[in-house]
Amino acid sequence: MLRDDSESLGTRSLPGCGQSWSSPSVCSTIAEQQNTVYGLVSSHEMIPVSLSEVSFFNEDEDDEDRAFQCTLAIIKPEIANLMYKVECIMAQNGFIIKEKEVLRLSRDQAAEFYDEHALAPYFAKLVDHMSEVPIVVYVLSKRNCVEEWLRLIGPANVSLAKRLFPVSLRAIYGTETGPDPVANAFHGSDSPAAAEREIKFFFPNSKVDSTIDNGDDDVVQYIKDTMMPTISEGLSEMFNILPQDPLRWFGNWLLTRDK
């Protein structure tokens, strides 16, 4: 019988397993969440903030290439306890969380999900790793979401990510020391077709498709009404201060403004 090894994470099994449970404290206290999400960026860590790359209102964009999409993202076991911090990074980079589940895979489920890697020498190691403790699974939405999420997390090879893309999430949080894509902290669908398949695997009742055809207006309106006033306030204050590192200052301002 599966056992919840993390007291701080509420978990469930996938549909059809007949096993589900809820941790006594999905988040132990609101204060703990705030300390995790709103804490200052440490001096040795770079949070990838790319607000300048989030083009929501450019009328000249190619709608086909920059359509709103959904993708499947997974926070792997080694950093599942940092999910609130990762969610802050997601928001800073323009991703909208459409679905979220904290769950624990059985070995059979992990093997089924990673079936395309079945002949790889690291397959058994990957299955064991992904089924040993809870993971966090998301459906994310953004323009060109599949490609943008893969760009943010970086290459599957952690050593390569650290060398060539040092501010990618896998470079920062991946713990794998070899070339195998096992403990590399994150998963991302590698194509819109894979995103649709993987979303259905974890969220079989979800109506979210890999490409959103008619959701642009609602999303853009939400961004205009909810996000842009905050962003404008921060940019105005930053202009008055003129910090030496504007991106880091603005990231810290976003993290601490609600304290």
Side-chain angles (χ1 to χ4, degrees):
M1 184 172 181
L2 295 179
R3 179 171 58 89
D4 184 358
D5 291 330
S6 176
E7 295 182 356
S8 62
L9 299 177
T11 63
R12 70 162 176 84
S13 61
L14 287 178
C17 291
Q19 297 169 327
S20 63
W21 61 89
S22 178
S23 169
S25 58
V26 174
C27 47
S28 55
T29 64
I30 297 298
E32 288 178 357
Q33 289 187 41
Q34 292 177 332
N35 287 339
T36 304
V37 179
Y38 299 116
L40 284 172
V41 179
S42 63
S43 59
H44 65 275
E45 180 178 27
M46 297 181 66
I47 289 186
V49 180
S50 56
L51 293 173
S52 61
E53 297 176 2
V54 183
S55 302
F56 294 109
F57 311 118
N58 189 342
E59 299 292 339
D60 297 327
E61 285 184 350
D62 187 328
D63 290 337
E64 183 177 350
D65 293 339
R66 297 288 295 172
F68 269 85
Q69 293 177 323
C70 288
T71 194
L72 187 93
I74 298 178
I75 301 178
K76 291 187 174 183
E78 60 269 26
I79 64 159
N81 62 315
L82 298 178
M83 64 179 175
Y84 297 118
K85 188 170 189 176
V86 172
E87 287 169 11
C88 184
I89 296 172
M90 291 173 176
Q92 287 176 328
N93 283 272
F95 293 96
I96 298 170
I97 297 174
K98 307 288 287 188
E99 303 273 1
K100 171 186 174 180
E101 285 288 352
V102 181
L103 54 88
R104 182 173 180 180
L105 294 172
S106 67
R107 292 194 82 260
D108 289 343
Q109 290 166 344
E112 181 182 354
F113 181 73
Y114 286 106
D115 179 67
E116 63 187 56
H117 300 277
L119 298 180
Y122 57 79
F123 179 67
K125 179 182 176 182
L126 178 62
V127 169
D128 288 340
H129 181 68
M130 293 299 293
S131 60
E132 61 185 359
V133 295
I135 60 176
V136 193
V137 185
Y138 300 90
V139 176
L140 301 179
S141 176
K142 184 186 178 182
R143 289 191 187 275
N144 205 24
C145 190
V146 173
E147 181 181 338
E148 290 295 318
W149 177 245
L150 291 176
R151 179 181 293 117
L152 182 62
I153 63 178
N157 184 316
V158 174
S159 298
L160 182 65
K162 290 180 182 293
R163 187 169 71 254
L164 300 180
F165 304 93
V167 297
S168 66
L169 295 184
R170 281 170 168 161
I172 295 171
Y173 296 111
T175 60
E176 186 69 43
T177 56
D180 298 337
V182 178
N184 58 2
F186 296 92
H187 169 86
S189 303
D190 60 10
S191 68
E196 186 171 351
R197 182 180 68 253
E198 293 173 356
I199 288 170
K200 289 180 179 178
F201 181 89
F202 284 102
F203 304 95
N205 298 321
S206 175
K207 297 180 180 179
V208 175
D209 198 350
S210 60
T211 301
I212 302 175
D213 295 326
N214 55 7
D216 291 26
D217 292 343
D218 290 341
V219 174
V220 170
Q221 193 61 45
Y222 172 80
I223 292 168
K224 286 181 177 179
D225 294 344
T226 306
M227 297 177 63
M228 292 310 297
T230 299
I231 293 172
S232 298
E233 179 186 349
L235 292 177
S236 177
E237 186 172 339
M238 183 175 67
F239 179 77
N240 291 330
I241 296 174
L242 297 177
Q244 290 185 346
D245 188 341
L247 281 180
R248 181 169 291 277
W249 182 94
F250 191 72
N252 281 330
W253 183 86
L254 287 172
L255 290 170
T256 58
R257 67 179 303 274
D258 290 332
K259 273 192 169 184

